[in-house]
Structure formats: C-alpha cells, structure tokens
Amino acid sequence: QVQLVESGGGLVQPGGSLRLSCVGSGFSFSISSMGWYRQAPGQQRELVASITRNGGTNYIESVKGRFTISRDNAKNTVYLQMSSLKPEDTAMYYCKPPQFANAAWGQGTQVTVSS
C-alpha cells in the first residue's frame, strides 16, 4: 500500500526558509506525479504544488516564486523548498501522489512561521 513519510518542518521566522522531504513507497514513484498539500487549522486541505513524472511543475498563486518542488526518483523522494515564508504558510504539510486519492495520508510535517 501507499506509504508516505514527510519530514523537515519546524518553527521559522517570517522571511525564513525550510526544505520539506517526503519519501514514498508502495507504488511506482518514478512514474507518478507527486503533490505537496497543506492544511491550516479550521481550513480545508489544499494542493500547494505538484510535479509530474517528467518534472513539470505547478503551484498555487500564493506560493509562486517562493516555493520550489523537486524530486529525486533514485531516492523515491519529493522535496518542497520554501523561501520567504509568511505567517499564512503555517500549516501541516503532506505529500501524496494525486492519482491515489483514496490512499492514506502520512503523518505530515508541521510548518510554523512566527516571530
């Protein structure tokens, strides 16, 4: 079954940076699109960024120019480099291949942006 393990979150000041990592297993990682999602308290989970098997990327408007998604298929890992972080980026971050909508979510990694 699909398993996802996220890491790299933490507490950072506004304007700071973090790099999130997610290791996937139980599916064909190298041929799967991958997405980073986030969920803030009281809000719905949203897809923040995605990357196709060929490296094509998409971002929501609010993170364009600040976040970069990338992948290393040899390590079954997808990354989210986050820069110029804002308090509104505070959320639990998850990764998941979008095509496995019914797969269980990982434990996520908490990102808190606060001074």
Side-chain angles (χ1 to χ4, degrees), residues 39-72:
Q39 187 170 23
Q43 297 187 20
Q44 288 191 335
R45 194 170 299 177
E46 63 177 347
L47 177 62
V48 175
S50 62
I51 185 167
T52 68
R53 57 186 290 184
N54 297 319
T57 58
N58 277 292
Y59 303 90
I60 58 172
E61 195 63 35
S62 62
V63 308
K64 283 183 180 178
R66 300 189 299 120
F67 289 11
T68 302
I69 188 171
S70 61
R71 64 191 299 159
D72 185 339

Side-chain angles (χ1 to χ4, degrees), residues 10 13 49 63 108 115:
Q13 292 186 342
V63 308
S115 55

Side-chain angles (χ1 to χ4, degrees), residues 3-110:
Q3 292 190 322
L4 303 152
V5 179
E6 301 92 348
S7 62
L11 172 64
V12 63
Q13 292 186 342
S17 299
L18 283 174
R19 189 176 83 152
L20 308 184
S21 300
C22 168
V23 179
S25 61
F27 63 101
S28 297
F29 183 93
S30 64
I31 63 170
S32 299
S33 293
M34 291 296 296
W36 277 100
Y37 301 75
R38 68 185 179 188
Q39 187 170 23
Q43 297 187 20
Q44 288 191 335
R45 194 170 299 177
E46 63 177 347
L47 177 62
V48 175
S50 62
I51 185 167
T52 68
R53 57 186 290 184
N54 297 319
T57 58
N58 277 292
Y59 303 90
I60 58 172
E61 195 63 35
S62 62
V63 308
K64 283 183 180 178
R66 300 189 299 120
F67 289 11
T68 302
I69 188 171
S70 61
R71 64 191 299 159
D72 185 339
N73 289 336
K75 296 181 179 180
N76 279 17
T77 300
V78 62
Y79 303 99
L80 187 66
Q81 178 67 49
M82 306 186 295
S83 303
S84 301
L85 283 161
K86 303 176 180 180
E88 51 263 43
D89 295 317
T90 294
M92 187 70 81
Y93 284 72
Y94 305 86
C95 73
K96 195 173 187 179
Q99 61 267 42
F100 292 97
N102 294 326
W105 294 92
Q107 84 286 351
T109 187
Q110 176 68 40

